[in-house]
Amino acid sequence: MKFERFEEIIVYQKSKELAIEIYKCFSMIKDFGFKDQIQRAVISISNNIAEGYERKSNNEFKHFLFIAKGSSGEVRNMLDLAKELGYIPQQRWKELNDQSLTISKMISALIKTL
């Protein structure tokens, strides 16, 4: 599996889509510390995929993919908290949580191919 640019990587595209959804979902939340943390975590996924790819070394790419996978877990944790705090409804939580879980699995699969 050879990519010319990180923008071609499907998991990068999906993580960017999730970031946009998270930003939209929490745009009106007044808990600025919470909002900042979940936004930083979700952006970390696509940023680490991009940065790792640009390192042009499979070992470094793997390292950054593991960081991206960790950030995906952080997003799911923050989503759980958001649901418990009443920041998002159950259905929206499920949609976003499922997206994050899919991304995490896709990152694992990409790591295995390297």
Side-chain angles (χ1 to χ4, degrees):
M1 181 179 328
K2 179 82 169 117
F3 306 104
E4 295 296 319
R5 304 171 330 136
F6 67 81
E7 293 92 345
E8 297 172 9
I9 303 171
I10 301 293
V11 71
Y12 165 80
Q13 296 167 9
K14 293 208 175 284
S15 64
K16 196 171 83 170
E17 290 168 11
L18 178 61
I20 291 165
E21 289 301 313
I22 294 281
Y23 267 77
K24 287 178 182 176
C25 184
F26 291 94
S27 67
M28 302 306 287
I29 298 294
K30 299 296 184 211
D31 183 343
F32 298 111
F34 183 92
K35 180 167 67 172
D36 181 61
Q37 188 63 33
I38 195 166
Q39 288 174 341
R40 286 159 141 311
V42 77
I43 276 297
S44 177
I45 302 169
S46 58
N47 279 348
N48 278 291
I49 294 169
E51 184 173 352
Y53 176 82
E54 290 294 325
R55 298 292 180 113
K56 301 296 185 195
S57 153
N58 279 355
N59 284 337
E60 284 194 84
F61 191 20
K62 271 189 202 179
H63 171 76
F64 281 90
L65 288 173
F66 277 114
I67 295 169
K69 187 168 170 49
S71 294
S72 181
E74 184 178 354
V75 168
R76 288 195 310 281
N77 177 64
M78 297 296 293
L79 287 169
D80 286 346
L81 291 169
K83 181 182 67 169
E84 295 296 320
L85 292 167
Y87 292 165
I88 57 173
Q90 173 75 25
Q91 183 57 36
R92 191 67 177 132
W93 167 83
K94 181 169 179 9
E95 294 164 359
L96 295 170
N97 193 68
D98 287 351
Q99 279 181 267
S100 182
L101 191 54
T102 297
I103 288 166
S104 185
K105 289 176 182 178
M106 290 176 77
I107 292 170
S108 291
L110 183 55
I111 289 168
K112 287 178 185 174
T113 67
L114 296 177

